[in-house]
Amino acid sequence: MFCLLSKKILVLPLILTSCSVFAENSVGHGVLTGDVGLVSQYIYRGGVENDDIAMQAGLEYAHQSGFSVGYWGSTLDYDATDETHAHGFEHDIYISYAQELHQNWAYKLQATSYIYQNGGTVEGEKGEQRKTTSFDVLAELAYKDLTLGAAVLLADALSGNAGDVYLSAAYSYALPQDFNLNTSMGVSAYNSHHDDSLLQTKKDFAFNEARIGVSKNIPHLGATASLDYILGGQDRLGKDLKNHVVLGLKYNF
């Protein structure tokens, strides 16, 4: 795995060189930023989206008014519409609005579309159909380094039912030598009223995951290295989720 990781890391400077046109960052009345990197596993809300090395990248334009639009993507080790495929891709497209309230307080509202591979629909045993694409809205409230969030799924999808709520809390603490301590946890309140043969719910409320880790900014490389330990909880079926150790390396531009 580490050999493969090394090969992929060597490719990243080449990708960044081709993206050097964005280095100036200022675009109109806003700022364009991006990142590209690798993680040893892609874990989302306690569940495994990629059990192998995942390549991930993002691009965001933030306007001085507080509005932002962005894209984030990651490789997956599955294709939701074709079980014979051991690979896929997740595309997240979002629009958000953020403002400071007073001194140390701030908030953000965001709407996100999650598009898996090329989209598509999956049919159940009784003819039910669910789209792989899902949509949610997120509200976050931050006080200094503490952020509380609530995300609500807007429509039934293969990943969940309309009305599913994910509650999160994250705290980051600056350490000496450009290190940061990062912690977070997430729980879900599931809507079981829309269950069908494609999606079942056995727990109305579940603790999904808790994370603790450290990250290190490397200014002269424009990179961030991270190490996270993820304590798995349970999913909507009450299935125990595994614990994971995740390594990451991300270049920012």
Side-chain angles (χ1 to χ4, degrees), residues 143-202:
Y143 175 71
K144 293 185 178 179
D145 297 321
L146 174 66
T147 302
L148 303 177
V152 182
L153 199 62
L154 297 182
D156 291 344
L158 192 61
S159 60
N161 290 329
D164 284 354
V165 179
Y166 185 74
L167 304 173
S168 61
Y171 179 76
S172 178
Y173 183 76
L175 300 172
Q177 304 298 320
D178 289 320
F179 280 92
N180 279 279
L181 172 67
N182 307 304
T183 64
S184 66
M185 65 173 294
V187 298
S188 291
Y190 297 113
N191 173 24
S192 60
H193 299 294
H194 292 190
D195 282 2
D196 53 30
S197 65
L198 288 169
L199 190 72
Q200 297 291 314
T201 305
K202 293 185 178 180

Short mmCIF file of all heavy atoms in Angstrom, two decimals, residues 143-202:
data_model
loop_
_atom_site.label_atom_id
_atom_site.label_comp_id
_atom_site.label_asym_id
_atom_site.label_seq_id
_atom_site.Cartn_x
_atom_site.Cartn_y
_atom_site.Cartn_z
N TYR A 143 -18.22 28.75 17.19
CA TYR A 143 -17.72 29.65 18.23
C TYR A 143 -16.24 29.35 18.42
O TYR A 143 -15.87 28.26 18.85
CB TYR A 143 -18.48 29.46 19.53
CG TYR A 143 -17.91 30.29 20.67
CD1 TYR A 143 -18.05 31.67 20.69
CD2 TYR A 143 -17.18 29.69 21.69
CE1 TYR A 143 -17.52 32.44 21.70
CE2 TYR A 143 -16.64 30.45 22.72
CZ TYR A 143 -16.81 31.84 22.72
OH TYR A 143 -16.26 32.60 23.73
N LYS A 144 -15.40 30.29 18.03
CA LYS A 144 -13.95 30.10 18.05
C LYS A 144 -13.59 28.82 17.27
O LYS A 144 -13.85 28.73 16.09
CB LYS A 144 -13.44 30.08 19.48
CG LYS A 144 -13.57 31.41 20.20
CD LYS A 144 -12.94 31.37 21.57
CE LYS A 144 -13.02 32.71 22.26
NZ LYS A 144 -12.42 32.70 23.62
N ASP A 145 -13.05 27.80 17.95
CA ASP A 145 -12.62 26.59 17.26
C ASP A 145 -13.62 25.45 17.35
O ASP A 145 -13.33 24.32 16.96
CB ASP A 145 -11.27 26.12 17.83
CG ASP A 145 -10.16 27.13 17.60
OD1 ASP A 145 -10.14 27.73 16.51
OD2 ASP A 145 -9.33 27.32 18.51
N LEU A 146 -14.80 25.73 17.91
CA LEU A 146 -15.85 24.72 18.04
C LEU A 146 -16.93 24.95 16.99
O LEU A 146 -17.43 26.07 16.84
CB LEU A 146 -16.48 24.78 19.43
CG LEU A 146 -17.69 23.87 19.68
CD1 LEU A 146 -17.29 22.40 19.61
CD2 LEU A 146 -18.34 24.20 21.02
N THR A 147 -17.29 23.90 16.26
CA THR A 147 -18.31 24.00 15.22
C THR A 147 -19.38 22.94 15.43
O THR A 147 -19.07 21.75 15.56
CB THR A 147 -17.70 23.82 13.81
OG1 THR A 147 -16.69 24.81 13.60
CG2 THR A 147 -18.78 23.97 12.74
N LEU A 148 -20.65 23.37 15.46
CA LEU A 148 -21.78 22.46 15.57
C LEU A 148 -22.53 22.48 14.24
O LEU A 148 -22.72 23.55 13.64
CB LEU A 148 -22.72 22.89 16.70
CG LEU A 148 -22.10 22.99 18.09
CD1 LEU A 148 -23.14 23.48 19.09
CD2 LEU A 148 -21.51 21.65 18.53
N GLY A 149 -22.97 21.31 13.77
CA GLY A 149 -23.62 21.25 12.47
C GLY A 149 -24.81 20.31 12.46
O GLY A 149 -24.89 19.37 13.26
N ALA A 150 -25.74 20.58 11.54
CA ALA A 150 -26.90 19.70 11.33
C ALA A 150 -27.18 19.65 9.83
O ALA A 150 -27.34 20.70 9.19
CB ALA A 150 -28.13 20.21 12.08
N ALA A 151 -27.19 18.44 9.25
CA ALA A 151 -27.46 18.25 7.83
C ALA A 151 -28.72 17.41 7.67
O ALA A 151 -28.89 16.40 8.36
CB ALA A 151 -26.28 17.56 7.15
N VAL A 152 -29.59 17.83 6.75
CA VAL A 152 -30.86 17.13 6.52
C VAL A 152 -30.94 16.68 5.08
O VAL A 152 -30.73 17.47 4.15
CB VAL A 152 -32.07 18.05 6.83
CG1 VAL A 152 -33.37 17.29 6.64
CG2 VAL A 152 -31.97 18.60 8.24
N LEU A 153 -31.23 15.39 4.86
CA LEU A 153 -31.40 14.85 3.51
C LEU A 153 -32.75 15.30 2.98
O LEU A 153 -33.78 15.17 3.66
CB LEU A 153 -31.32 13.33 3.56
CG LEU A 153 -31.03 12.60 2.23
CD1 LEU A 153 -29.67 12.99 1.68
CD2 LEU A 153 -31.09 11.09 2.44
N LEU A 154 -32.78 15.82 1.76
CA LEU A 154 -33.99 16.44 1.22
C LEU A 154 -34.90 15.48 0.48
O LEU A 154 -36.11 15.72 0.39
CB LEU A 154 -33.61 17.59 0.29
CG LEU A 154 -32.86 18.75 0.93
CD1 LEU A 154 -32.60 19.83 -0.11
CD2 LEU A 154 -33.64 19.33 2.11
N ALA A 155 -34.36 14.40 -0.08
CA ALA A 155 -35.18 13.47 -0.87
C ALA A 155 -34.65 12.06 -0.69
O ALA A 155 -33.46 11.86 -0.38
CB ALA A 155 -35.15 13.86 -2.35
N ASP A 156 -35.54 11.07 -0.88
CA ASP A 156 -35.10 9.68 -0.78
C ASP A 156 -34.01 9.39 -1.80
O ASP A 156 -34.09 9.83 -2.96
CB ASP A 156 -36.28 8.73 -1.03
CG ASP A 156 -37.31 8.77 0.08
OD1 ASP A 156 -37.00 9.29 1.17
OD2 ASP A 156 -38.44 8.28 -0.14
N ALA A 157 -33.00 8.66 -1.39
CA ALA A 157 -31.90 8.26 -2.26
C ALA A 157 -31.39 6.90 -1.79
O ALA A 157 -31.84 6.38 -0.76
CB ALA A 157 -30.78 9.29 -2.23
N LEU A 158 -30.47 6.33 -2.53
CA LEU A 158 -29.93 5.03 -2.15
C LEU A 158 -29.18 5.12 -0.82
O LEU A 158 -29.10 4.14 -0.08
CB LEU A 158 -28.99 4.52 -3.25
CG LEU A 158 -28.55 3.06 -3.14
CD1 LEU A 158 -29.75 2.12 -3.20
CD2 LEU A 158 -27.56 2.73 -4.25
N SER A 159 -28.68 6.30 -0.49
CA SER A 159 -27.89 6.47 0.73
C SER A 159 -28.73 6.78 1.96
O SER A 159 -28.23 6.71 3.09
CB SER A 159 -26.87 7.60 0.53
OG SER A 159 -27.55 8.82 0.23
N GLY A 160 -30.02 7.13 1.78
CA GLY A 160 -30.83 7.46 2.95
C GLY A 160 -32.22 7.92 2.57
O GLY A 160 -32.57 8.02 1.39
N ASN A 161 -33.02 8.18 3.60
CA ASN A 161 -34.40 8.65 3.41
C ASN A 161 -34.49 10.15 3.60
O ASN A 161 -33.75 10.74 4.39
CB ASN A 161 -35.33 7.97 4.42
CG ASN A 161 -35.54 6.50 4.13
OD1 ASN A 161 -35.51 6.07 2.96
ND2 ASN A 161 -35.76 5.70 5.16
N ALA A 162 -35.42 10.77 2.90
CA ALA A 162 -35.71 12.17 3.12
C ALA A 162 -36.05 12.39 4.59
O ALA A 162 -36.83 11.64 5.17
CB ALA A 162 -36.87 12.61 2.24
N GLY A 163 -35.44 13.40 5.20
CA GLY A 163 -35.67 13.65 6.61
C GLY A 163 -34.61 13.09 7.53
O GLY A 163 -34.60 13.40 8.72
N ASP A 164 -33.70 12.25 7.01
CA ASP A 164 -32.57 11.80 7.83
C ASP A 164 -31.76 13.03 8.26
O ASP A 164 -31.49 13.93 7.46
CB ASP A 164 -31.66 10.87 7.03
CG ASP A 164 -32.23 9.47 6.87
OD1 ASP A 164 -33.28 9.18 7.46
OD2 ASP A 164 -31.61 8.68 6.13
N VAL A 165 -31.35 13.06 9.52
CA VAL A 165 -30.61 14.19 10.06
C VAL A 165 -29.27 13.70 10.61
O VAL A 165 -29.21 12.71 11.34
CB VAL A 165 -31.39 14.90 11.18
CG1 VAL A 165 -30.58 16.06 11.75
CG2 VAL A 165 -32.73 15.40 10.66
N TYR A 166 -28.20 14.40 10.24
CA TYR A 166 -26.87 14.10 10.77
C TYR A 166 -26.40 15.28 11.61
O TYR A 166 -26.33 16.42 11.12
CB TYR A 166 -25.88 13.84 9.64
CG TYR A 166 -24.51 13.41 10.12
CD1 TYR A 166 -24.30 12.13 10.63
CD2 TYR A 166 -23.43 14.29 10.08
CE1 TYR A 166 -23.05 11.73 11.07
CE2 TYR A 166 -22.17 13.89 10.51
CZ TYR A 166 -21.99 12.61 11.00
OH TYR A 166 -20.76 12.21 11.45
N LEU A 167 -26.12 15.03 12.88
CA LEU A 167 -25.67 16.06 13.81
C LEU A 167 -24.19 15.87 14.09
O LEU A 167 -23.74 14.74 14.34
CB LEU A 167 -26.46 15.98 15.12
CG LEU A 167 -27.99 16.08 14.99
CD1 LEU A 167 -28.65 15.81 16.33
CD2 LEU A 167 -28.39 17.44 14.45
N SER A 168 -23.42 16.95 14.06
CA SER A 168 -21.97 16.83 14.22
C SER A 168 -21.43 17.93 15.13
O SER A 168 -22.03 19.00 15.28
CB SER A 168 -21.27 16.90 12.86
OG SER A 168 -21.52 18.14 12.23
N ALA A 169 -20.29 17.64 15.73
CA ALA A 169 -19.55 18.61 16.52
C ALA A 169 -18.07 18.41 16.23
O ALA A 169 -17.59 17.27 16.17
CB ALA A 169 -19.83 18.43 18.01
N ALA A 170 -17.35 19.50 16.02
CA ALA A 170 -15.92 19.41 15.72
C ALA A 170 -15.17 20.49 16.49
O ALA A 170 -15.66 21.62 16.64
CB ALA A 170 -15.68 19.59 14.22
N TYR A 171 -13.99 20.12 16.97
CA TYR A 171 -13.16 21.08 17.71
C TYR A 171 -11.73 20.92 17.25
O TYR A 171 -11.19 19.81 17.16
CB TYR A 171 -13.25 20.82 19.22
CG TYR A 171 -12.38 21.76 20.03
CD1 TYR A 171 -12.78 23.08 20.25
CD2 TYR A 171 -11.17 21.34 20.56
CE1 TYR A 171 -11.99 23.95 20.98
CE2 TYR A 171 -10.37 22.20 21.29
CZ TYR A 171 -10.78 23.51 21.51
OH TYR A 171 -9.99 24.36 22.22
N SER A 172 -11.10 22.06 16.95
CA SER A 172 -9.71 22.07 16.50
C SER A 172 -8.90 22.98 17.42
O SER A 172 -9.36 24.06 17.80
CB SER A 172 -9.62 22.56 15.05
OG SER A 172 -8.28 22.62 14.61
N TYR A 173 -7.71 22.52 17.77
CA TYR A 173 -6.86 23.29 18.70
C TYR A 173 -5.46 23.40 18.12
O TYR A 173 -4.84 22.40 17.75
CB TYR A 173 -6.81 22.59 20.06
CG TYR A 173 -6.03 23.34 21.11
CD1 TYR A 173 -6.56 24.46 21.74
CD2 TYR A 173 -4.73 22.93 21.45
CE1 TYR A 173 -5.84 25.15 22.70
CE2 TYR A 173 -4.00 23.61 22.41
CZ TYR A 173 -4.55 24.72 23.03
OH TYR A 173 -3.84 25.40 23.97
N ALA A 174 -4.97 24.65 18.02
CA ALA A 174 -3.64 24.89 17.46
C ALA A 174 -2.55 24.47 18.44
O ALA A 174 -2.59 24.84 19.62
CB ALA A 174 -3.49 26.35 17.09
N LEU A 175 -1.59 23.70 17.95
CA LEU A 175 -0.45 23.23 18.73
C LEU A 175 0.82 23.90 18.21
O LEU A 175 0.84 24.48 17.11
CB LEU A 175 -0.33 21.71 18.63
CG LEU A 175 -1.52 20.89 19.13
CD1 LEU A 175 -1.32 19.41 18.78
CD2 LEU A 175 -1.71 21.07 20.63
N PRO A 176 1.91 23.84 18.97
CA PRO A 176 3.18 24.42 18.49
C PRO A 176 3.66 23.75 17.20
O PRO A 176 3.23 22.66 16.84
CB PRO A 176 4.15 24.15 19.65
CG PRO A 176 3.27 23.97 20.86
CD PRO A 176 2.01 23.32 20.34
N GLN A 177 4.56 24.44 16.51
CA GLN A 177 5.23 23.92 15.32
C GLN A 177 4.25 23.60 14.18
O GLN A 177 4.44 22.65 13.43
CB GLN A 177 6.04 22.66 15.66
CG GLN A 177 7.07 22.85 16.76
CD GLN A 177 8.13 23.87 16.39
OE1 GLN A 177 8.61 23.93 15.27
NE2 GLN A 177 8.48 24.72 17.35
N ASP A 178 3.21 24.41 14.05
CA ASP A 178 2.23 24.27 12.96
C ASP A 178 1.45 22.96 13.01
O ASP A 178 0.92 22.49 12.00
CB ASP A 178 2.90 24.39 11.58
CG ASP A 178 3.34 25.81 11.28
OD1 ASP A 178 2.58 26.74 11.62
OD2 ASP A 178 4.43 25.99 10.72
N PHE A 179 1.35 22.36 14.20
CA PHE A 179 0.50 21.19 14.39
C PHE A 179 -0.88 21.63 14.86
O PHE A 179 -1.04 22.69 15.47
CB PHE A 179 1.11 20.23 15.44
CG PHE A 179 2.20 19.36 14.91
CD1 PHE A 179 3.53 19.77 15.00
CD2 PHE A 179 1.92 18.14 14.33
CE1 PHE A 179 4.55 18.97 14.53
CE2 PHE A 179 2.92 17.32 13.85
CZ PHE A 179 4.25 17.73 13.95
N ASN A 180 -1.89 20.80 14.56
CA ASN A 180 -3.24 21.02 15.05
C ASN A 180 -3.81 19.73 15.61
O ASN A 180 -3.59 18.65 15.04
CB ASN A 180 -4.16 21.52 13.93
CG ASN A 180 -4.01 22.99 13.66
OD1 ASN A 180 -4.56 23.84 14.35
ND2 ASN A 180 -3.22 23.30 12.64
N LEU A 181 -4.54 19.85 16.71
CA LEU A 181 -5.30 18.73 17.25
C LEU A 181 -6.72 18.84 16.72
O LEU A 181 -7.37 19.88 16.86
CB LEU A 181 -5.30 18.77 18.77
CG LEU A 181 -6.21 17.75 19.47
CD1 LEU A 181 -5.70 16.33 19.24
CD2 LEU A 181 -6.32 18.06 20.96
N ASN A 182 -7.23 17.77 16.11
CA ASN A 182 -8.55 17.79 15.49
C ASN A 182 -9.43 16.70 16.10
O ASN A 182 -9.03 15.54 16.15
CB ASN A 182 -8.44 17.58 13.98
CG ASN A 182 -7.46 18.55 13.34
OD1 ASN A 182 -7.59 19.76 13.47
ND2 ASN A 182 -6.47 18.00 12.66
N THR A 183 -10.61 17.08 16.54
CA THR A 183 -11.55 16.11 17.09
C THR A 183 -12.94 16.36 16.51
O THR A 183 -13.28 17.50 16.18
CB THR A 183 -11.63 16.20 18.63
OG1 THR A 183 -12.15 17.50 18.99
CG2 THR A 183 -10.28 16.00 19.26
N SER A 184 -13.74 15.31 16.39
CA SER A 184 -15.11 15.46 15.91
C SER A 184 -15.92 14.23 16.27
O SER A 184 -15.36 13.17 16.60
CB SER A 184 -15.15 15.67 14.38
OG SER A 184 -14.70 14.51 13.71
N MET A 185 -17.23 14.37 16.21
CA MET A 185 -18.12 13.24 16.40
C MET A 185 -19.40 13.50 15.63
O MET A 185 -19.74 14.64 15.32
CB MET A 185 -18.43 13.01 17.88
CG MET A 185 -19.22 14.11 18.55
SD MET A 185 -19.72 13.67 20.24
CE MET A 185 -20.86 12.32 19.89
N GLY A 186 -20.12 12.41 15.29
CA GLY A 186 -21.36 12.56 14.54
C GLY A 186 -22.38 11.50 14.93
O GLY A 186 -22.02 10.35 15.18
N VAL A 187 -23.63 11.91 14.97
CA VAL A 187 -24.74 11.01 15.26
C VAL A 187 -25.84 11.25 14.23
O VAL A 187 -25.94 12.33 13.64
CB VAL A 187 -25.30 11.22 16.69
CG1 VAL A 187 -24.24 10.94 17.74
CG2 VAL A 187 -25.84 12.64 16.85
N SER A 188 -26.67 10.24 14.00
CA SER A 188 -27.74 10.35 13.01
C SER A 188 -29.10 10.05 13.63
O SER A 188 -29.22 9.15 14.48
CB SER A 188 -27.51 9.37 11.84
OG SER A 188 -26.40 9.76 11.06
N ALA A 189 -30.09 10.81 13.20
CA ALA A 189 -31.49 10.52 13.50
C ALA A 189 -32.13 10.10 12.18
O ALA A 189 -32.20 10.89 11.23
CB ALA A 189 -32.19 11.75 14.07
N TYR A 190 -32.56 8.84 12.09
CA TYR A 190 -33.02 8.28 10.82
C TYR A 190 -34.55 8.32 10.71
O TYR A 190 -35.27 8.08 11.68
CB TYR A 190 -32.56 6.83 10.69
CG TYR A 190 -31.06 6.66 10.65
CD1 TYR A 190 -30.38 6.03 11.69
CD2 TYR A 190 -30.32 7.13 9.58
CE1 TYR A 190 -29.01 5.86 11.66
CE2 TYR A 190 -28.94 6.97 9.54
CZ TYR A 190 -28.29 6.34 10.58
OH TYR A 190 -26.93 6.19 10.55
N ASN A 191 -35.02 8.59 9.50
CA ASN A 191 -36.45 8.55 9.19
C ASN A 191 -36.78 7.18 8.60
O ASN A 191 -36.41 6.89 7.47
CB ASN A 191 -36.82 9.67 8.21
CG ASN A 191 -38.25 9.58 7.73
OD1 ASN A 191 -39.10 9.00 8.40
ND2 ASN A 191 -38.51 10.14 6.56
N SER A 192 -37.48 6.35 9.37
CA SER A 192 -37.79 4.99 8.92
C SER A 192 -39.10 4.91 8.13
O SER A 192 -39.42 3.84 7.59
CB SER A 192 -37.88 4.06 10.13
OG SER A 192 -38.90 4.48 11.02
N HIS A 193 -39.84 6.00 8.02
CA HIS A 193 -41.16 5.97 7.38
C HIS A 193 -41.10 5.76 5.86
O HIS A 193 -42.10 5.40 5.25
CB HIS A 193 -41.93 7.24 7.69
CG HIS A 193 -42.19 7.46 9.16
ND1 HIS A 193 -42.99 6.62 9.90
CD2 HIS A 193 -41.71 8.39 10.02
CE1 HIS A 193 -43.02 7.05 11.16
NE2 HIS A 193 -42.25 8.12 11.26
N HIS A 194 -39.93 6.00 5.27
CA HIS A 194 -39.79 5.85 3.82
C HIS A 194 -39.03 4.58 3.45
O HIS A 194 -38.58 4.44 2.31
CB HIS A 194 -39.08 7.07 3.22
CG HIS A 194 -39.88 8.32 3.28
ND1 HIS A 194 -39.51 9.48 2.60
CD2 HIS A 194 -41.04 8.63 3.91
CE1 HIS A 194 -40.39 10.41 2.84
NE2 HIS A 194 -41.32 9.93 3.65
N ASP A 195 -38.88 3.64 4.37
CA ASP A 195 -38.15 2.41 4.09
C ASP A 195 -38.80 1.60 2.97
O ASP A 195 -40.03 1.63 2.78
CB ASP A 195 -38.09 1.53 5.35
CG ASP A 195 -37.04 2.03 6.33
OD1 ASP A 195 -36.40 3.06 6.05
OD2 ASP A 195 -36.87 1.37 7.38
N ASP A 196 -37.98 0.87 2.22
CA ASP A 196 -38.47 -0.05 1.21
C ASP A 196 -37.46 -1.19 1.09
O ASP A 196 -36.60 -1.34 1.96
CB ASP A 196 -38.70 0.65 -0.14
CG ASP A 196 -37.47 1.42 -0.62
OD1 ASP A 196 -36.33 1.00 -0.30
OD2 ASP A 196 -37.63 2.44 -1.32
N SER A 197 -37.54 -1.99 0.04
CA SER A 197 -36.63 -3.14 -0.09
C SER A 197 -35.19 -2.71 -0.35
O SER A 197 -34.26 -3.50 -0.17
CB SER A 197 -37.10 -4.05 -1.23
OG SER A 197 -37.02 -3.39 -2.47
N LEU A 198 -34.98 -1.46 -0.76
CA LEU A 198 -33.63 -0.98 -1.03
C LEU A 198 -32.96 -0.37 0.20
O LEU A 198 -31.73 -0.30 0.27
CB LEU A 198 -33.66 0.08 -2.15
CG LEU A 198 -33.94 -0.44 -3.55
CD1 LEU A 198 -34.21 0.72 -4.51
CD2 LEU A 198 -32.79 -1.29 -4.05
N LEU A 199 -33.76 0.07 1.16
CA LEU A 199 -33.20 0.72 2.33
C LEU A 199 -34.06 0.41 3.55
O LEU A 199 -35.26 0.67 3.55
CB LEU A 199 -33.12 2.24 2.13
CG LEU A 199 -32.33 3.01 3.18
CD1 LEU A 199 -30.84 2.74 3.04
CD2 LEU A 199 -32.60 4.51 3.08
N GLN A 200 -33.42 -0.16 4.57
CA GLN A 200 -34.12 -0.53 5.80
C GLN A 200 -33.51 0.23 6.98
O GLN A 200 -32.32 0.55 7.00
CB GLN A 200 -34.01 -2.03 6.04
CG GLN A 200 -34.65 -2.88 4.96
CD GLN A 200 -36.17 -2.76 4.97
OE1 GLN A 200 -36.79 -2.83 6.03
NE2 GLN A 200 -36.76 -2.57 3.80
N THR A 201 -34.37 0.49 7.97
CA THR A 201 -33.93 1.18 9.18
C THR A 201 -34.34 0.37 10.40
O THR A 201 -35.52 0.04 10.55
CB THR A 201 -34.54 2.59 9.28
OG1 THR A 201 -34.25 3.32 8.09
CG2 THR A 201 -34.00 3.33 10.49
N LYS A 202 -33.37 0.06 11.27
CA LYS A 202 -33.67 -0.66 12.50
C LYS A 202 -33.39 0.18 13.74
O LYS A 202 -33.80 -0.17 14.84
CB LYS A 202 -32.87 -1.96 12.57
CG LYS A 202 -33.30 -2.98 11.51
CD LYS A 202 -32.57 -4.30 11.68
CE LYS A 202 -33.04 -5.31 10.65
NZ LYS A 202 -32.33 -6.63 10.79
#
